[in-house]
């Protein structure tokens, strides 16, 4: 099976998570191609798609939104999975609601599985206005990504996609 892992990442942490997820899919026998969302030119050669986006101001990044609109017909005809990265300093990121635009995407293309992971916040990578906003809301710098959870989800995605492609 072949998978596309398309990722919208602002400062690289979500893309790094997408690469880790792609490696975990490969360990399950999936040929995974990982690339930035704005570089996707076709979905034709992929059996399933994993979309990953950083979340800022409770919204998916514009590159992910653009990819979803550009390929909405193709996404509707194959298994699609979505992960969001962004809640930082959350003890249980899975309890953080997905942004409204991500929930809309889940409904519109029939996403088979969606997951929210903790993100990474490095003040050194932020523009001054972003840094001020993060301090204003009390965000703390740190890496809140749980690699074991990412790998577990990748294994689930590989199993579910294999099942979905067998029955279609």
């Amino acid at each position: 099976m072949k998978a596309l892992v398309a990722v919208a990442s602002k400062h690289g942490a979500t893309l790094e998570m997408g690469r880790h997820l792609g490696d975990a899919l490969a360990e399950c026998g999936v040929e995974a191609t990982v690339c930035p969302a704005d570089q996707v030119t076709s979905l034709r050669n992929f059996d399933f798609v994993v979309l990953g986006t950083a979340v800022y101001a409770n919204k998916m990044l514009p590159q992910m939104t653009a990819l979803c609109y550009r390929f909405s017909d193709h996404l509707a005809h194959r298994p699609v999975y979505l992960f969001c990265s962004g809640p930082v300093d959350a003890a249980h990121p899975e309890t953080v609601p997905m942004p409204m635009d991500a929930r809309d995407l889940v409904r519109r293309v029939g996403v088979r599985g969606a997951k929210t992971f903790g993100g990474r916040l490095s003040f050194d990578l932020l523009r001054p206005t972003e840094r001020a906003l993060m301090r204003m809301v009390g965000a703390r710098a740190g890496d809140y990504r749980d690699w074991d959870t990412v790998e577990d989800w990748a294994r689930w995605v590989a199993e579910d996609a294999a099942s979905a492609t067998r029955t279609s």
Side-chain angles (χ1 to χ4, degrees), residues 87-109:
V88 294
D89 198 19
H92 300 286
E94 66 277 0
T95 64
V96 177
M98 286 204 144
M100 183 63 77
D101 55 353
R103 286 180 280 178
D104 179 53
L105 172 67
V106 167
R107 285 188 299 274
R108 195 177 50 219
V109 302

Side-chain angles (χ1 to χ4, degrees), residues 80-147:
V80 177
Y81 304 86
L82 170 68
F83 74 88
C84 293
S85 167
V88 294
D89 198 19
H92 300 286
E94 66 277 0
T95 64
V96 177
M98 286 204 144
M100 183 63 77
D101 55 353
R103 286 180 280 178
D104 179 53
L105 172 67
V106 167
R107 285 188 299 274
R108 195 177 50 219
V109 302
V111 169
R112 294 181 60 88
K115 183 79 171 167
T116 300
F117 297 111
R120 180 187 74 198
L121 177 62
S122 173
F123 285 108
D124 296 341
L125 299 175
L126 302 178
R127 294 187 310 244
T129 54
E130 293 172 318
R131 202 173 307 131
L133 178 63
M134 290 295 106
R135 287 196 172 109
M136 191 169 63
V137 299
R140 293 189 332 215
D143 192 340
Y144 302 96
R145 298 171 294 176
D146 181 339
W147 299 114

